[in-house]
Each structure stands twice: as C-alpha cells, then as structure tokens.
Amino acid sequence: MSVVKDVDGARVTEDPGPTTTHLTVIDRGAVLTTSEVIERTKRIREVMEKVMKTGVHYGVIPGTQKPTMYQPGADVLNVTFRIAPKVGKLDDISDDDAIRYRVTVQGWHQVTGELLAEGIGECSSSEEKYRWRRPVCDEAWAETAEDRRRAKWAKGQGGKPYQQKQIRTSPADVANTILKMAVKRAKVAMTLSATAASDVFAQDLEDLSEELRD
C-alpha cells in the first residue's frame, strides 16, 4: 500500500516493493508546465504587439535580427509579470580618468516575494559617446590641450566622410548619467532573464556605434 507524506516541503509517495522503496516527488508548482511556458511566451508577444510601441519601448537597430529592448519596454514587462526591480549591489570602480559603475539589479515577485532573476550592467565615462563632445566653437577646440582634443572621421549624408572636431568631456559632468545607464542595463538584463524574453528581444545594441554593430 502506498503512503503519502511530506518530505522537506514536497509530497512524496512511498511505494514499497519487494526489496526497494520507490519515491515519486509530486511537484507543488516549483516548475512551470509546458502549457504555462507557452502561455508566458504568448503573453510577451501579445504585450509587444498591443502595448509596446516601436521607438519607445523597443527599437529595430539596422543590421540586427531582433528588436532591442529599451528601459520603458522592460518596465512594461515588469508590470505585466509583477516583478519589482531592486538594486542589489552597486560597485564604484571609477579611477582618476573615468567614472565607472557596475550594478546588479534583482527582480522580486511582488506577490510571492521570491527572487526571480538578477541582471548585471556596467557603464563608464570612457565609452565613446560619453568621453567626447563637440566644442562650443572652433576657438574652444583650439584652446583645449592637444591630448584632450581630436578630429574624428564620421559619415555624412550619402556615406561621405568628414572630420568632426571633439574635445574631452569632464567625467564629473556625466557621473549621474553613467550611474543611471548602468542601472538601466542591469534592469533590462534582469527583465529578459526573469521573463525568458531573450528570444524576442536583444539588449543594449542601441548603445553600440555602427562600427561595433558591424
């Protein structure tokens, strides 16, 4: 005769045989069923089609195969699946020449209080788009020290190259932006992991230059 009892919080059926005891663990919801996984994927695509907007919640980066999720898109998915993002760890790894942060964002289920996933994001003022800026005028560029200015080649209309004058940005001027970008990247990474939406969305491709995307 089979006996049902609790073992470490799970229901276990003992089925004594002639010489051995067969244990069958009955799942209590720790594992999603196949139909639940399918339904979750359908929900993500439905939200994408009916709620999200291109250019606001996600973007299609030229030359990429999947749309890239933006922070507003991650916020929508977190609301949909009742995920509460929380900064779990913040590392200041700055030096004298650059502001740099590495952030871990955790995703907590608002109903059960369970930790669903973590995402890590990093940002530095040494990244191309934060390290350099256009000078106010040619005189400002000329008065800037040679090791803090440059003339960069860029693509113009029709792909025609041209030179663009740039000067170094003060790291302190972008410190808050660097922190927020690190948090954003970590939040998007956490959301994609918690919702298993990586097959639908890519991440952070909008932060790469055209050359790096290629």
Side-chain angles (χ1 to χ4, degrees), residues 39-56:
E39 183 61 32
R40 173 170 292 200
T41 302
K42 288 182 178 179
R43 180 64 59 84
I44 292 173
R45 293 189 179 277
E46 183 180 9
V47 169
M48 179 182 178
E49 294 173 1
K50 297 183 179 181
V51 179
M52 296 184 183
K53 298 179 181 179
T54 305
V56 177

Side-chain angles (χ1 to χ4, degrees), residues 90-101:
L90 193 159
D91 293 322
D92 185 347
I93 46 180
S94 307
D95 55 35
D96 293 338
D97 190 53
I99 301 293
R100 186 180 175 190
Y101 295 109

Side-chain angles (χ1 to χ4, degrees), residues 53-173:
K53 298 179 181 179
T54 305
V56 177
H57 300 95
Y58 65 90
V60 180
I61 309 300
T64 60
Q65 297 180 350
K66 292 188 292 186
T68 296
M69 175 174 286
Y70 299 157
Q71 181 167 251
D75 291 337
V76 169
L77 287 186
N78 287 330
V79 168
T80 300
F81 293 102
R82 295 190 175 185
I83 300 172
K86 178 183 178 182
V87 174
K89 187 178 181 182
L90 193 159
D91 293 322
D92 185 347
I93 46 180
S94 307
D95 55 35
D96 293 338
D97 190 53
I99 301 293
R100 186 180 175 190
Y101 295 109
R102 182 180 297 129
V103 178
T104 299
V105 169
Q106 301 172 333
W108 295 84
H109 196 278
Q110 294 175 336
V111 178
T112 65
E114 293 178 283
L115 176 61
L116 301 178
E118 291 185 341
I120 299 177
E122 186 175 314
C123 190
S124 169
S125 61
S126 290
E127 294 179 28
E128 181 78 6
K129 64 180 179 179
Y130 302 119
R131 188 177 180 86
W132 299 95
R133 65 177 178 85
R134 293 181 180 179
V136 176
C137 57
D138 289 341
E139 288 77 11
W141 185 83
E143 293 175 4
T144 302
E146 290 187 5
D147 62 345
R148 300 188 64 84
R149 70 182 187 186
R150 71 177 186 177
K152 179 189 176 183
W153 285 98
K155 285 185 179 180
Q157 293 183 350
K160 185 178 180 180
Y162 70 97
Q163 278 196 323
Q164 184 181 78
K165 293 179 179 178
Q166 296 180 328
I167 60 176
R168 281 289 305 275
T169 302
S170 171
D173 291 341

